[in-house]
């Protein structure tokens, strides 16, 4: 059921703010309760300015997340690319991260450049290089961090993933571990659990290729902080827990 | 409930609590206690809030710091018996 316009937080907060400011004016002008007047004025202004929602509705945001990744899925299906993706961090040839999906058995990673989408560098080095679907989400998280996360190690990765989870509300919790050349990422979904399930019904193998925008943001951040290409080795989903195992290549 | 709503409710509770404890006695102390509440809220919520909300919260803190400097200057002048 749609809420009445005045019941939406962006409007109700303004009404509450105006109410408190009116009370503060009454206290300042007609009584000698200075502190109470200050308190009411402060609460009024704070409520009016802090509670605001310059954002789209949640169902619209979910639909946008889906539409982008379904285009990727259709392109990869048409090209018959079903191998696991490799996340490539920025390097001398690349200004931003890419996800490389090899066409056949990958012998080693070819040189990938910014302007290159279809990679054809000979046997075992053919595939497509795409911008990770989670790149815009990751950029949003990186804007909240006061330093560049590239090659800063696993702790920076955890900080970045913390912004993705708690700051942006993409997941309830996460864990990010590295042992030798194996990396394990576990994401526990909350409000996007239905989105994940619906997406997997229509395109289940997207998880091991580019991953959806939410998981892709986590995987790309792992690749960037470790400054190492990471191949998706294994994927598992159990209830609302998503487990990725990656391998440095 | 969104983080900005939680923030507004927390600051409201803190302000009312300070008002109850201090009452109408000491306005300077009251203002400084509100500033301390804002600083705590900013630090604890830094991971969770959007940059736009963080900027607004910072603006409140900057105003609070200006008031705090004014309070300290007033105290110094009164100790030096200039004021």
């Amino acid at each position: 059921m749609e809420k009445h316009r005045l019941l939406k937080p962006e409007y109700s907060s303004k009404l509450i703010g105006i109410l408190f400011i009116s009370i503060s004016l009454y206290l300042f002008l007609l009584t000698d309760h200075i502190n109470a007047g200050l308190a009411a004025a402060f609460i009024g202004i704070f409520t009016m300015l802090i509670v605001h929602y310059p954002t789209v509705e949640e169902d619209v945001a979910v639909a946008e997340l889906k539409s982008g990744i379904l285009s990727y899925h259709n392109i990869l299906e048409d090209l018959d690319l079903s191998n696991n993706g490799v996340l490539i961090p920025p390097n001398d040839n690349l200004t931003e991260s890419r996800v490389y999906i090899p066409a056949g058995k990958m012998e080693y990673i070819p040189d990938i450049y910014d302007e290159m989408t279809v990679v054809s560098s000979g046997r075992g080095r053919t595939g497509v290089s795409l911008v990770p679907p989670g790149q815009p989400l990751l950029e949003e998280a990186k804007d909240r961090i006061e330093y560049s996360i590239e090659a800063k190690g696993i702790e920076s990765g955890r900080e970045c993933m913390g912004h993705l989870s708690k700051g942006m509300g993409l997941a309830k919790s996460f864990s990010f571990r590295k042992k030798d050349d194996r990396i394990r990422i576990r994401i526990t979904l909350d409000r996007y659990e239905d989105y994940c399930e619906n997406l997997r019904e229509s395109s289940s193998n997207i998880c091991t290729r580019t991953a959806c925008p939410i998981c892709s943001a986590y995987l790309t951040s792992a690749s960037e902080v470790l400054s190492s290409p990471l191949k998706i080795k294994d994927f598992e989903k159990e209830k609302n827990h998503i487990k990725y195992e990656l391998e440095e290549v | 409930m969104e983080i900005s709503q939680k923030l507004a409710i927390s600051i409201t509770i803190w302000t009312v609590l300070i008002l109850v404890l201090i009452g109408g006695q000491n306005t300077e102390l009251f203002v400084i206690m509100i500033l301390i509440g804002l600083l705590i809220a900013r630090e604890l919520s830094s991971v969770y809030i959007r940059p736009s909300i963080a900027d607004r919260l910072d603006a409140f803190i900057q105003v609070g710091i200006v008031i705090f400097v004014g309070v300290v200057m007033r105290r110094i002048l009164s100790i030096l018996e200039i004021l």
Side-chain angles (χ1 to χ4, degrees):
Chain A
M1 196 176 74
E2 184 136 337
K3 277 184 183 175
H4 188 274
R5 189 177 164 174
L6 292 176
L7 292 175
K8 289 184 176 177
E10 62 266 43
Y11 295 106
S12 60
S13 66
K14 302 288 178 286
L15 290 176
I16 292 167
I18 290 167
L19 178 70
F20 271 100
I21 290 169
S22 307
I23 292 169
S24 76
L25 286 174
Y26 167 77
L27 291 167
F28 278 130
L29 298 175
L30 300 172
T31 69
D32 56 353
H33 299 298
I34 303 295
N35 282 1
L38 272 175
F42 172 70
I43 293 169
I45 296 168
F46 191 85
T47 308
M48 283 177 79
L49 293 181
I50 293 294
V51 182
H52 71 128
Y53 288 77
T55 183
V56 294
E57 298 286 339
E58 194 170 316
D59 49 355
V60 177
V62 166
E64 282 176 355
L65 279 174
K66 255 188 210 171
S67 63
I69 194 61
L70 287 176
S71 309
Y72 268 41
H73 172 71
N74 292 337
I75 291 168
L76 295 174
E77 284 293 303
D78 287 349
L79 292 171
D80 199 21
L81 295 172
S82 55
N83 288 309
N84 290 5
V86 182
L87 294 133
I88 301 170
N91 54 48
D92 294 341
N93 303 327
L94 271 178
T95 54
E96 62 177 4
S97 292
R98 289 293 180 115
V99 55
Y100 170 68
I101 297 116
K105 188 175 179 293
M106 189 181 74
E107 290 175 9
Y108 48 92
I109 303 168
D111 291 334
I112 292 171
Y113 299 89
D114 277 328
E115 60 274 17
M116 189 185 269
T117 302
V118 177
V119 183
S120 179
S121 308
R123 195 175 173 186
R125 296 159 76 184
T126 309
V128 293
S129 155
L130 302 167
V131 174
Q135 186 76 15
L137 292 171
L138 180 59
E139 290 300 326
E140 178 70 28
K142 280 155 72 175
D143 284 346
R144 299 169 183 223
I145 302 173
E146 289 160 358
Y147 59 92
S148 167
I149 61 165
E150 280 169 34
K152 291 291 190 313
I154 203 158
E155 282 307 320
S156 285
R158 286 184 182 135
E159 185 180 349
C160 184
M161 289 178 190
H163 283 281
L164 287 167
S165 303
K166 302 287 180 189
M168 295 164 65
L170 295 179
K172 193 175 173 182
S173 61
F174 71 93
S175 78
F176 175 32
R177 293 196 176 88
K178 183 174 188 283
K179 192 176 179 187
D180 302 324
D181 62 344
R182 290 291 171 109
I183 291 103
R184 284 196 176 88
I185 296 174
R186 181 183 156 121
I187 305 161
T188 303
L189 292 173
D190 186 14
R191 69 167 77 160
Y192 292 107
E193 164 63 5
D194 291 343
Y195 153 77
C196 177
E197 280 302 315
N198 291 341
L199 190 64
R200 281 171 51 73
E201 276 173 22
S202 54
S203 51
S204 61
N205 55 356
I206 199 75
C207 303
T208 53
R209 296 190 293 190
T210 62
C212 72
I214 293 176
C215 293
S216 170
Y218 285 85
L219 302 180
T220 309
S221 70
S223 164
E224 288 191 11
V225 296
L226 298 172
S227 192
S228 170
L230 301 178
K231 184 177 183 188
I232 298 171
K233 286 295 286 183
D234 197 22
F235 168 84
E236 193 184 321
K237 184 161 193 280
E238 191 181 307
K239 291 180 183 172
N240 61 338
H241 303 293
I242 293 167
K243 292 174 197 166
Y244 271 102
E245 189 171 320
L246 310 158
E247 183 187 43
E248 282 184 315
V249 287
Chain B
M1 191 184 284
E2 293 293 325
I3 189 73
S4 61
Q5 287 172 279
K6 288 179 185 170
L7 206 57
I9 290 169
S10 315
I11 288 293
T12 303
I13 291 170
W14 173 259
T15 308
V16 171
L17 184 71
I18 298 303
L19 183 66
V20 169
L21 291 174
I22 296 175
Q25 301 301 313
N26 192 336
T27 304
E28 288 176 356
L29 180 62
F30 178 70
V31 172
I32 290 165
M33 290 306 287
I34 288 178
L35 174 62
I36 290 170
L38 280 173
L39 288 168
I40 294 169
R42 176 71 180 87
E43 189 58 33
L44 292 179
S45 65
S46 60
V47 179
Y48 308 102
I49 55 175
R50 272 184 265 157
S52 58
I53 296 176
D55 289 345
R56 288 176 184 217
L57 207 49
D58 288 346
F60 274 95
I61 291 168
Q62 283 156 10
V63 171
I65 288 171
V66 170
I67 295 170
F68 175 71
V69 170
V71 168
V72 172
M73 292 299 289
R74 211 173 100 96
R75 279 289 163 100
I76 291 170
L77 292 174
S78 69
I79 290 166
L80 295 173
E81 294 180 346
I82 295 170
L83 202 70

